[in-house]
Amino acid sequence: MTTAYEPNVVLSTKEYDVVGTRPIRHDGVDKVTGAAKYGADFYASNMLFAKVLRSPHAHARIKSIDTTDAESLEGVRAVVTSKDFGNLPWTYERDQVMASHKVLYKGHPIAGVAAINSHIADHAISLIKVEYECLASVATVHEAMKENAPILLDDLRTEDDLGNNSESNTNVAKHIQYSTGDIEKGFNQADLIVEREFNTATVHQGYIEPSNFTVNWNQDGRLHIWLSSQGPFEIRGDAAKVLGIPVSNVKVTPMEIGGGFGAKFSVFSSPIAALLSKKTGHPVKVVNTRTEEFESSTPTPGSYLKVKIGITKSGQITSGQAYLAYEAGAYPGSPVGGGANCLFAPYDIPNQLIDGYDVVVNKPKTGAYRAPGSPNAAFAIESIVDELAEKLGMDPLNLRLMNASKSGTRRSDGVKFPRIGCIEVIEAMKSHPHYSTPLKGPNQGRGIAIGYWMNGAGESSITLTVHPDGHINLVEGSADIGGSRASISMMAAEVLGIPAESVHPSVVDTDSVGYTSGTGGSSVTHKAGIVVYQAASDVKLQLLDRAASIWGTDSNSLEMNNGVISSTSNHNLKISFEDLAAQLNDTGGPIVGRAALTTRGPGGAFAGHIIDVEVDPETGKVAILRCTAFQDCGKAIHPSYVEGQMQGGTVQGIGWALNEEYFMNEDGSMANGTFLDYRMPLALDLPMIDTVIVEVANPDHPFGVRGVGEVSIAPPLPAVANAVYGATGIRMNRLPMTPASIANITK
Amino acid sequence: MKWIDFANPTTLDEAIRLLSEHGEKARVMAGGTDLIVQLRVSPERIGNADLVIDGKGIPELNEISFSKEEGLTLGASVPCYKIYQNPTIAETYPGLIDSASLIGGIQIQGRASIGGNLCNGTPSADSIPTLIAHNVVCKIVGPGGTREVDVEDFCTGPSRTILEPNELLVSLHFPAPPKGFGARYIRFIPRNEMDIAVAGVGASVQLDEKNSVIKSARVALASVGPTPILVNEATSALVGKSPEDESAISKAGQAAKSAATPINDMRGTVEYRKHLCDVLTRRALNAAITRAKGGTIDVH
């Protein structure tokens, strides 16, 4: 690496014509002119506006609901409660949409009102009378796991990994355990053992655009949902399930999306809007307020972790033990599994025991958030590894290198790593000028940390239509939250030897494209890349066949390079893609390429951060002075969007580390449900985040892609903590690291 | 759906007449950056007002005038940006600029006024300690005529002021700063913009002609009590002392810490807020002294 300062470095290992370049994104003009239509921009004629009545209590029994006054208010068209689900049985999913006998968190929906405008709907929900019997609530895993803790779900029993259920009432929904080797033996081999406890607060994804849904229950029984979602097909399936109708009766049209970060997978209020539409015969639109978003969407869990590591004098980790308890929110399903998978993943630890607990608490159901489960785990393990390096007098990157996972290392859950870039990321950190630049002055500290995320794969379906002018229409089903229209188009262009601008991508509704799993798990560029490679290859083969039939030759003797079809045996036979495209209709008909596949082999991703901070010794306030993010992305299709993902994840990680939290009132309600008081980092709080893209090709992808969207959120939590330690000598074991806690004023 | 009427009077008399007719149900709007949000989010907090009286059309509320003899008269509706974009005011009252340039954000400062910030009367208002430090006098008009009130007496409780329902704040008067006067406002927020003070301190000093003795001093606190707090004990600790006397500054910090009566909430604990009063008071005083000596400070 050069020593001259470069803010954005790409350590490219293979060059292509289109892949790896930085064209203007296909949806760029509409985004910057404001022409792009987001969910809240959608209007239908005769549309009604809905508001949702939500519980003011964290935990209460519903004794009665009286909607009479709301129904008789002028302008109100319909009111629904859980009774409107009819004879459908009680399920967690249905109860989450609208509570029936109990509310489990402040913000839990109870009823919905549709009116001719949102002001009337708002007024009407205040007229609904609900009688509650308040119950004691639990806000943390500590409270929920206590003996005689208030129970949220009467039917809940602890399920262990073998499917054995506990006998009695509990708030622990699941216990997972991973075991390798012999931890006692491992700790006996260690010269140094460090055990630490960590607590992290519940945090929110904080996307700009609140959730929104417009739903029309057509007279023929077909349901149409317009919304901004990461997973139109998951919404289709879940809405059908909650409403008890066939999946083929539901069509979902994804609008542009203003951020999701994992949270926009839930049906949320769309079934309420559906029931209101069914009752009124009109399309019904519901748009959340920011406070509703905080109080009732799907944040990511607060957690408690206890981690113990044994290491030899020479720096070899011999044993690792961990206890993880993650908040699930009101219903089972925390990302504790993700946390357990990621915790020790960067290291080759021969002896391991991990116990993970999924714990229900009186907060909204948690959802995915960028590498769900991993940041909490990274905070714990990377704080300890930093402490171990210091105690052993070793360079913290060298200690990590010594123990780094590589191809063949087994992850804690038993999965054997394929080719991964853990070592390459650490090497890139070591050789970066940031790492060797001296800090300037007192109260400054430098922290480093690494992190892992599994990444996902899954289904993707793509069709490519050849236009008569040699352009390509690309139809796909992945909601574009990170520039995927550009990256998918670029991969198609690469295969066909045409410019990225000649490909025109459309993200279409669920009736117009094959099943495509959601935009999550950093999966899109991976899965859609594999599929678009096949679809473009399909187009290419058909073009060769067509040229062969025009020329009366064998297609095996033809090839297509740089957008030109030519014969390997006869130099006179040559035609540009553009010229051939113009002749298609007269030479046999249009050409449409297609591919649809359940992809596998996403290739895990590693990231690392170097963060410099300065701490105000009197107030405890942390200033981020410099931050460099490193990440193995396999192959950066569009490096600018990879850098954007790395920077965005980094910023969210820094916010999680320093200021963000669900601040809970005594009564179990959230005190800070606005962007004023839920303190995400703003532009003045951050330096420019420098990036280094490391490319260790994923052998399971035609261009070597690994998912890039998530892992960069994990290392900043411990990197900031380690930097604060460097500046103050205090090890922070609780998130957020508030100024008061850093100033050591704990009351 | 609630209807709210909007009046745009062009004279003080007309505004007073509307206030007298509508009483508690009328609210005067300066910039509206607090009022409009309250109308939408917490109308009960402002008496479920159904009439908004716009102050931007009344000349007296939009006055911004300065002379070396008379000092500064700042109409209650003058937006923050007009204050910090006025070179004379920026040079003469850097302490006022501290507050005017950090209320809300750039967009908010295009509408929000110091007068509105005062009338909204929240304990966390970033301008009020500055006004107290500057010995500002408030000009209030009602049906009975005009009265003048020292700004430290203006707030009576959280979001409560001495204004009668039929009165309005016309302007704020800042005395002309003599040589040797300096002021500074500092607030603590965990981020660097767009936040509500965990604690805030406005401080001013008047040095003698040799800059060797503090002749008078004022320290006022935000966000640590039901109203902004003028710390008289800080004044006692400082007056007659040398501006270089670190122990006097420390005593003033301790006095601020003692005077603060904060609550525990999501923005900070009692103990941390009191601690901040000490730290911020010392920092604000040292900066005010630097300014009093004619120096400049790094405001970031």
Side-chain angles (χ1 to χ4, degrees):
Chain A
M1 187 180 296
T2 66
T3 48
Y5 172 66
E6 287 179 60
N8 305 109
V9 177
V10 183
L11 302 175
S12 188
T13 47
K14 189 169 179 193
E15 303 297 340
Y16 296 89
D17 293 331
V18 180
V19 164
T21 64
R22 301 174 188 247
I24 290 171
R25 63 195 293 161
H26 298 74
D27 49 319
V29 170
D30 278 1
K31 295 271 170 74
V32 299
T33 59
K37 294 288 180 214
Y38 291 79
D41 296 326
F42 182 79
Y43 282 87
S45 56
N46 297 321
M47 188 168 82
L48 299 173
F49 298 82
K51 286 281 176 183
V52 175
L53 176 70
R54 298 176 184 278
S55 167
H57 304 297
H59 196 190
R61 214 173 293 288
I62 300 171
K63 294 173 76 177
S64 65
I65 306 174
D66 180 357
T67 59
T68 324
D69 290 353
E71 279 162 30
S72 57
L73 183 71
E74 194 182 334
V76 169
R77 291 291 180 266
V79 180
V80 294
T81 66
S82 65
K83 285 206 174 83
D84 292 273
F85 284 126
N87 296 325
L88 296 169
W90 186 91
T91 61
Y92 290 160
E93 291 77 14
R94 231 163 255 140
D95 198 53
Q96 188 185 349
V97 170
M98 267 196 294
S100 53
H101 61 288
K102 251 173 95 171
V103 288
L104 298 172
Y105 52 97
K106 187 193 172 200
H108 198 160
I110 294 166
V113 173
I116 55 172
N117 65 49
S118 59
H119 302 285
I120 294 174
D122 228 0
H123 185 194
I125 60 169
S126 72
L127 301 176
I128 298 174
K129 296 189 196 88
V130 185
E131 237 187 308
Y132 297 99
E133 177 197 338
C134 285
L135 304 169
S137 61
V138 289
T140 64
V141 293
H142 301 289
E143 291 169 21
M145 293 174 87
K146 266 187 198 154
E147 226 177 305
N148 301 321
I151 295 294
L152 275 77
L153 302 164
D154 292 333
D155 66 333
L156 189 67
R157 300 291 180 271
T158 306
E159 182 193 330
D160 73 13
D161 265 352
L162 300 173
N164 298 323
N165 288 354
S166 67
E167 299 285 314
S168 53
N169 279 338
T170 178
N171 290 320
V172 179
K174 198 164 187 179
H175 171 208
I176 56 172
Q177 188 176 72
Y178 299 156
S179 177
T180 316
D182 178 343
I183 54 157
E184 285 315 317
K185 198 179 109 206
F187 285 121
N188 287 335
Q189 291 165 351
D191 298 309
L192 173 65
I193 296 170
V194 168
E195 182 177 38
R196 296 285 176 258
E197 294 178 80
F198 302 89
N199 285 280
T200 73
T202 310
V203 299
H204 195 267
Q205 297 82 354
Y207 36 80
I208 293 291
E209 177 204 30
S211 304
N212 55 77
F213 313 90
T214 306
V215 184
N216 187 42
W217 196 309
N218 204 37
Q219 300 298 320
D220 63 4
R222 298 254 310 155
L223 193 70
H224 194 163
I225 305 174
W226 296 262
L227 82 175
S228 60
S229 168
Q230 291 176 246
F233 284 88
E234 284 87 346
I235 296 289
R236 181 184 73 166
D238 291 347
K241 204 168 149 194
V242 168
L243 293 164
I245 59 175
V247 74
S248 55
N249 270 16
V250 183
K251 170 174 165 177
V252 176
T253 299
M255 307 294 289
E256 292 294 347
I257 177 169
F261 309 110
K264 285 188 181 153
F265 271 107
S266 170
V267 293
F268 292 122
S269 305
S270 56
I272 300 178
L275 293 173
L276 288 166
S277 177
K278 189 182 186 184
K279 249 182 165 168
T280 60
H282 291 268
V284 173
K285 179 178 186 174
V286 56
V287 180
N288 273 1
T289 64
R290 179 59 53 185
T291 299
E292 285 179 297
E293 211 59 47
F294 275 116
E295 292 183 346
S296 68
S297 68
T298 52
T300 208
S303 58
Y304 164 75
L305 299 94
K306 185 159 78 174
V307 179
K308 183 176 171 184
I309 299 289
I311 194 166
T312 65
K313 265 183 257 177
S314 60
Q316 207 68 53
I317 299 176
T318 57
S319 208
Q321 186 177 4
Y323 173 104
L324 293 75
Y326 279 42
E327 293 168 8
Y331 305 94
S334 78
V336 68
N341 288 354
C342 294
L343 179 72
F344 294 147
Y347 304 111
D348 189 349
I349 306 178
N351 307 294
Q352 298 185 22
L353 180 63
I354 300 178
D355 287 286
Y357 297 89
D358 181 36
V359 186
V360 295
V361 296
N362 292 109
K363 287 179 180 169
K365 166 90 172 67
T366 57
Y369 179 22
R370 253 185 162 132
S374 179
N376 319 45
F379 175 52
I381 182 68
E382 290 297 284
S383 295
I384 292 180
V385 169
D386 205 59
E387 187 176 344
L388 291 170
E390 192 202 14
K391 289 205 154 102
L392 294 175
M394 285 183 72
D395 175 274
L397 284 177
N398 282 342
L399 178 65
R400 286 171 170 85
L401 259 186
M402 235 181 112
N403 292 282
S405 288
K406 49 190 173 295
S407 176
T409 305
R410 280 199 187 273
R411 212 167 63 187
S412 307
D413 57 335
V415 172
K416 205 182 243 183
F417 278 125
R419 181 77 174 93
I420 50 171
C422 183
I423 288 172
E424 286 80 355
V425 165
I426 302 172
E427 296 279 12
M429 294 168 77
K430 263 188 83 174
S431 58
H432 194 274
H434 185 172
Y435 194 57
S436 49
T437 305
L439 292 166
K440 296 181 196 121
N443 307 316
Q444 294 194 0
R446 173 168 297 149
I448 62 124
I450 58 174
Y452 167 74
W453 178 244
M454 289 87 76
N455 288 337
E459 300 77 14
S460 184
S461 307
I462 289 175
T463 57
L464 301 175
T465 304
V466 180
H467 287 306
D469 58 358
H471 283 225
I472 295 282
N473 209 54
L474 188 162
V475 173
E476 46 125 343
S478 292
D480 182 358
I481 59 175
S484 55
R485 270 177 287 220
S487 65
I488 297 167
S489 298
M490 289 169 73
M491 290 185 277
E494 185 71 46
V495 174
L496 294 170
I498 58 176
E501 292 76 10
S502 296
V503 181
H504 305 283
S506 301
V507 180
V508 298
D509 67 70
T510 53
D511 279 3
S512 305
V513 66
Y515 188 91
T516 301
S517 60
T519 302
S522 302
S523 66
V524 171
T525 306
H526 176 268
K527 66 192 173 193
I530 293 172
V531 169
V532 83
Y533 184 90
Q534 292 192 1
S537 301
D538 182 16
V539 169
K540 199 168 157 177
L541 282 178
Q542 293 184 54
L543 288 168
L544 295 178
D545 282 346
R546 187 63 56 87
S549 82
I550 292 170
W551 292 330
T553 178
D554 180 0
S555 66
N556 287 330
S557 67
L558 303 183
E559 61 181 17
M560 182 170 169
N561 290 309
N562 300 318
V564 176
I565 295 112
S566 58
S567 164
T568 49
S569 50
N570 180 346
H571 294 304
N572 295 324
L573 295 182
K574 187 181 274 192
I575 188 168
S576 71
F577 171 37
E578 206 171 292
D579 289 343
L580 181 56
Q583 299 177 24
L584 292 179
N585 289 358
D586 298 330
T587 57
I591 285 181
V592 175
R594 56 163 291 282
L597 194 66
T598 299
T599 67
R600 306 198 186 283
F606 287 85
H609 286 69
I610 306 173
I611 297 181
D612 296 352
V613 304
E614 181 165 339
V615 177
D616 182 326
E618 286 191 304
T619 65
K621 182 166 167 171
V622 174
I624 306 287
L625 302 178
R626 185 175 180 186
C627 176
T628 310
F630 304 75
Q631 189 172 323
D632 171 22
C633 70
K635 178 69 201 174
I637 302 298
H638 192 307
S640 298
Y641 301 149
V642 174
E643 287 153 4
Q645 291 293 325
M646 292 167 68
Q647 290 165 327
T650 301
V651 169
Q652 290 183 312
I654 290 171
W656 193 337
L658 289 177
N659 283 314
E660 294 181 38
E661 66 176 312
Y662 272 48
F663 193 98
M664 305 306 286
N665 292 316
E666 292 272 312
D667 66 1
S669 60
M670 183 188 186
N672 58 334
T674 68
F675 270 152
L676 177 62
D677 294 315
Y678 182 87
R679 292 172 171 132
M680 301 187 79
L682 302 172
L684 290 184
D685 303 324
L686 299 156
M688 199 63 202
I689 312 286
D690 294 342
T691 59
V692 176
I693 294 173
V694 179
E695 292 188 349
V696 178
N698 175 6
D700 291 326
H701 190 278
F703 296 107
V705 163
R706 298 171 191 274
V708 300
E710 293 167 284
V711 67
S712 64
I713 196 174
L717 285 67
V720 171
N722 293 338
V724 166
Y725 173 75
T728 65
I730 303 172
R731 288 251 172 236
M732 305 304 297
N733 58 7
R734 183 175 287 274
L735 297 183
M737 295 174 254
T738 62
S741 65
I742 292 171
N744 208 14
I745 293 171
T746 48
K747 262 194 275 182
Chain B
M1 186 167 162
K2 185 176 165 66
W3 287 98
I4 293 166
D5 288 329
F6 182 82
N8 189 18
T10 53
T11 64
L12 267 181
D13 286 348
E14 197 184 343
I16 299 296
R17 183 182 58 75
L18 287 165
L19 277 173
S20 301
E21 282 170 14
H22 294 266
E24 298 276 8
K25 293 283 175 195
R27 289 280 149 168
V28 179
M29 182 170 90
T33 55
D34 284 312
L35 184 71
I36 290 171
V37 177
Q38 286 160 2
L39 286 168
R40 182 168 57 82
V41 177
S42 52
E44 67 290 344
R45 201 174 133 186
I46 48 168
N48 293 306
D50 55 18
L51 173 65
V52 170
I53 303 172
D54 189 1
K56 294 273 185 194
I58 303 170
E60 291 88 339
L61 268 64
N62 295 285
E63 179 183 354
I64 177 165
S65 62
F66 172 78
S67 76
K68 281 183 178 161
E69 296 72 34
E70 297 297 318
L72 169 67
T73 298
L74 192 61
S77 286
V78 175
C80 289
Y81 84 94
K82 283 197 177 168
I83 302 169
Y84 58 69
Q85 285 188 359
N86 182 314
T88 309
I89 297 173
E91 196 190 324
T92 314
Y93 298 98
L96 172 60
I97 304 308
D98 291 342
S99 290
S101 59
L102 60 67
I103 290 173
I106 298 283
Q107 294 89 339
I108 299 287
Q109 289 153 16
R111 289 278 310 179
S113 69
I114 301 292
N117 195 232
L118 175 63
C119 292
N120 192 46
T122 59
S124 59
D126 284 312
S127 73
I128 305 178
T130 298
L131 300 178
I132 296 173
H134 282 84
N135 291 289
V136 161
V137 176
C138 310
K139 182 176 171 187
I140 296 166
V141 172
T146 301
R147 61 175 175 138
E148 294 191 340
V149 173
D150 291 340
V151 72
E152 58 265 32
D153 300 327
F154 192 86
C155 295
T156 56
S159 303
R160 289 203 308 273
T161 70
I162 57 154
L163 286 179
E164 296 294 333
N166 54 10
E167 287 182 322
L168 65 84
L169 176 71
V170 177
S171 59
L172 301 163
H173 181 257
F174 293 66
K179 189 179 167 298
F181 178 85
R184 171 75 167 137
Y185 177 74
I186 308 177
R187 70 171 176 187
F188 181 83
I189 55 173
R191 295 187 293 197
N192 292 311
E193 59 175 324
M194 300 292 283
D195 215 333
I196 291 176
V198 181
V201 174
S204 67
V205 294
Q206 177 66 53
L207 306 181
D208 69 347
E209 56 282 3
K210 291 180 190 160
N211 289 342
S212 60
V213 176
I214 299 172
K215 286 169 66 184
S216 64
R218 292 198 135 201
V219 171
L221 314 176
S223 273
V224 290
T227 65
I229 296 168
L230 172 61
V231 187
N232 291 315
E233 297 74 12
T235 304
S236 321
L238 293 161
V239 171
K241 300 286 169 27
S242 156
E244 264 69 54
D245 184 346
E246 279 300 323
S247 76
I249 304 276
S250 293
K251 271 186 195 158
Q254 288 301 316
K257 188 175 176 177
S258 303
T261 57
I263 54 166
N264 281 321
D265 69 9
M266 60 189 168
R267 300 199 178 95
T269 61
V270 168
E271 199 194 359
Y272 184 59
R273 285 178 147 145
K274 286 176 84 81
H275 168 74
L276 286 175
C277 286
D278 172 26
V279 174
L280 300 180
T281 294
R282 286 186 276 112
R283 291 180 182 182
L285 279 168
N286 281 322
I289 288 167
T290 301
R291 281 176 171 166
K293 292 174 177 173
T296 54
I297 57 163
D298 179 9
V299 293
H300 296 293

